[in-house]
Amino acid sequence: MLPTPLPPVSPPTIVRAFAPAAHDWLPAHRGVDLSVRVGQAVFAPRTGTVAVVRIIANRPVVVLRSRDVRFTFEPVIGSVAVGERVRVGEPIGVVGTGGHCDGRCLHWGAKIAGDYVDPLSFLPRRGPVLKPLVTARSSASAAEGRAATCCGSG
């Protein structure tokens, strides 16, 4: 069984969501921006092999290949080397500056077979949380020491 994927930073607070383009040539936000601070550790979301660690367009970039997915992280000053194998949750670098995030956010991108996909789709989904139904009647019954009934089961 494969390890559960993890977000590259914790907590994974979304600053800007993935917004795909209708066509390849149109503008879009082809990743997700997560709130960070300069120097914050960035971790591998899945086990994979480091493909790129370098400056691209005046910003530090790390690229991780994991099976059929290519993950990009920017601006990240890599602490790993090209060809290095990393496991899910291992550090791959720290947040740097440059690009549209410029130290305020981590841009996390994902591509499968040349198509951009939402990187958050690789994280486990948290199920819905059900909360107890509280009504004035059930609150009054509980206050009187009687069990409140639900759903007409009396």
Side-chain angles (χ1 to χ4, degrees):
M1 188 160 135
L2 297 171
T4 302
L6 296 172
V9 294
S10 185
T13 305
I14 299 167
V15 174
R16 187 172 174 198
F18 176 74
H23 299 286
D24 290 344
W25 62 87
L26 293 175
H29 190 242
R30 293 173 171 91
V32 63
D33 293 344
L34 302 174
S35 179
V36 293
R37 66 187 184 290
V38 172
Q40 183 174 345
V42 179
F43 303 94
R46 284 185 22 182
T47 297
T49 303
V50 178
V52 174
V53 180
R54 66 184 175 112
I55 303 294
I56 300 174
N58 294 321
R59 71 196 83 166
V61 176
V62 174
V63 177
L64 177 67
R65 290 193 187 277
S66 177
R67 296 188 303 276
D68 58 339
V69 185
R70 187 188 84 178
F71 293 111
T72 57
F73 309 91
E74 61 176 79
V76 173
I77 301 164
S79 61
V80 290
V82 172
E84 186 175 339
R85 183 100 169 130
V86 293
R87 290 187 299 214
V88 62
E90 288 185 343
I92 59 172
V94 296
V95 175
T97 58
H100 74 273
C101 279
D102 200 27
R104 297 180 314 272
C105 62
L106 167 72
H107 181 81
W108 178 26
K111 239 180 170 182
I112 298 177
D115 294 322
Y116 290 95
V117 295
D118 185 350
L120 295 177
S121 68
F122 294 94
L123 298 179
R125 299 273 183 219
R126 207 173 128 201
V129 177
L130 299 177
K131 297 190 177 195
L133 176 65
V134 178
T135 64
R137 182 176 172 204
S138 65
S139 295
S141 296
E144 295 171 5
R146 296 188 303 261
T149 59
C150 173
C151 313
S153 60

